[in-house]
Amino acid sequence: MMMKFVFDLDGTICFHGKPLTSEMVQTLDFLMEKGHELIFASARPIRDLLPILPVHMQHFPMVGGNGGFVYHSGLEVSTVYLEASIADHILTLLKQHEAEYLIDCQWDYCYSGNPEHPIRTNLDPECRAKNILLEELTQIVKVVVLSSRNHQEMLEALRNLPVVTYMHGTENIIDISPEGVNKWTGLQALGVFSHDFIAFGNDANDIPMFEYASRSICVGQHEKLAQIASERVESQEKNVMDKIIEIAERLEEESSIFDESKVEVEDSATG
């Protein structure tokens, strides 16, 4: 039984901002050998998603920027931008709240934060893009607020705008995307149907795709995500790999039982 497997990246199948380990790559390759399709769905823009994947997976279907970027076979499927008036309003809020931020355009970015921030260390590691000035920004896909004078006030102000916001508690950062954009809408742009995939994730931005998955696995302790997940595993690479293999073997067993039942029905019909 062929199934689509959708994987969030950071904190789900890769950790501490580092590329997939060879062990994890072997586990994902095992899925492909069994005939399953892999899709990656990350908060990272495509630019920063590619360097953590092995070369042979860089043309796989992928959703970046929490749904803002969708690529397949290395080609852009869709990019969703913030409306100009909304983007201007967000930029005003950033100034008012003395915020440090990362703003993603189609490929380039504008970064104003601490050079030692973990986000900065994972930003464009292969120097594929340019860090442009705020005045050079044209169309904006996604904004990440790294810090501000008052994060709670900033979050409340953003909630009055027609945008999607995610507060990442462990990192204390705010993700901002266009209204109606999330990982599930990105998957739909790839032609994925409801309950046609298995999802692995670890954070609030994975909730939209978990709601439409046939099976969902929460990695770690995120309370809201765990409530809607089919299963939960500890946030350790080995646990995640074991769960991936377990599900693949379960699917193979279910497929074998289905094939046997089909043969019995056909034999009865001809007999």
Side-chain angles (χ1 to χ4, degrees):
M1 182 185 297
M2 193 282 283
M3 181 64 74
K4 294 178 176 67
F5 280 74
V6 181
F7 292 100
D8 169 55
L9 291 168
D10 294 278
T12 298
I13 59 172
C14 67
F15 301 87
H16 312 298
K18 295 184 178 179
L20 299 184
T21 64
S22 58
E23 292 80 9
M24 181 59 77
V25 171
Q26 288 173 8
T27 303
L28 299 181
D29 282 340
F30 171 76
L31 280 182
M32 290 189 292
E33 289 166 8
K34 295 296 181 182
H36 303 297
E37 180 182 354
L38 304 189
I39 302 174
F40 300 110
S42 175
R44 293 179 181 235
I46 303 300
R47 175 197 67 232
D48 298 337
L49 194 160
L50 293 173
I52 61 175
L53 299 175
V55 173
H56 72 283
M57 294 183 182
Q58 291 184 4
H59 283 67
F60 284 11
M62 56 186 67
V63 175
N66 289 328
F69 305 95
V70 180
Y71 274 61
H72 194 314
S73 303
L75 301 175
E76 177 187 352
V77 174
S78 68
T79 303
V80 184
Y81 301 96
L82 286 161
E83 290 184 19
S85 60
I86 303 302
D88 289 342
H89 200 145
I90 293 171
L91 295 180
T92 299
L93 286 174
L94 293 176
K95 292 174 183 176
Q96 288 176 348
H97 291 268
E98 300 173 9
E100 294 184 337
Y101 50 80
L102 166 63
I103 301 175
D104 280 309
C105 303
Q106 184 174 27
W107 195 256
D108 295 326
Y109 60 92
C110 178
Y111 182 83
S112 76
N114 186 325
E116 301 302 319
H117 194 285
I119 290 283
R120 183 65 186 92
T121 59
N122 297 328
L123 178 58
D124 193 26
E126 297 181 350
C127 300
R128 296 168 178 254
K130 293 186 296 182
N131 185 4
I132 61 178
L133 299 173
L134 196 61
E135 308 82 64
E136 297 178 272
L137 291 172
T138 51
Q139 294 175 303
I140 296 173
V141 178
K142 183 170 171 282
V143 180
V144 180
V145 183
L146 306 171
S147 66
S148 65
R149 190 178 64 247
N150 187 318
H151 237 34
Q152 192 55 42
E153 282 185 11
M154 179 84 187
L155 190 58
E156 288 171 8
L158 287 167
R159 283 174 176 161
N160 291 323
L161 296 177
V163 294
V164 178
T165 59
Y166 296 108
M167 183 75 175
H168 297 282
T170 55
E171 299 169 294
N172 200 34
I173 62 175
I174 306 171
D175 254 329
I176 310 166
S177 298
E179 186 176 35
V181 171
N182 55 55
K183 290 187 179 182
W184 168 235
T185 61
L187 291 173
Q188 287 178 293
L190 287 169
V192 177
F193 295 103
S194 176
H195 299 98
D196 190 31
F197 64 98
I198 295 171
F200 280 71
N202 77 317
D203 211 339
N205 58 342
D206 296 310
I207 290 174
M209 69 175 183
F210 268 40
E211 292 176 335
Y212 292 92
S214 63
R215 189 175 296 169
S216 51
I217 294 82
C218 174
V219 178
Q221 302 287 343
H222 194 281
E223 184 178 351
K224 289 184 179 178
L225 192 64
Q227 287 174 357
I228 63 171
S230 310
E231 306 173 58
R232 192 189 70 79
V233 297
E234 293 300 322
S235 184
Q236 300 290 335
E237 184 183 60
K238 185 179 185 308
N239 295 41
V240 178
M241 292 189 298
D242 287 347
K243 178 57 68 174
I244 292 170
I245 292 169
E246 176 194 318
I247 292 174
E249 291 176 343
R250 198 186 310 167
L251 287 171
E252 191 168 34
E253 185 177 316
E254 290 170 1
S255 179
S256 177
I257 292 171
F258 174 79
D259 289 343
E260 288 174 8
S261 300
K262 187 178 177 183
V263 169
E264 288 177 5
V265 170
E266 288 173 349
D267 287 346
S268 298
T270 56

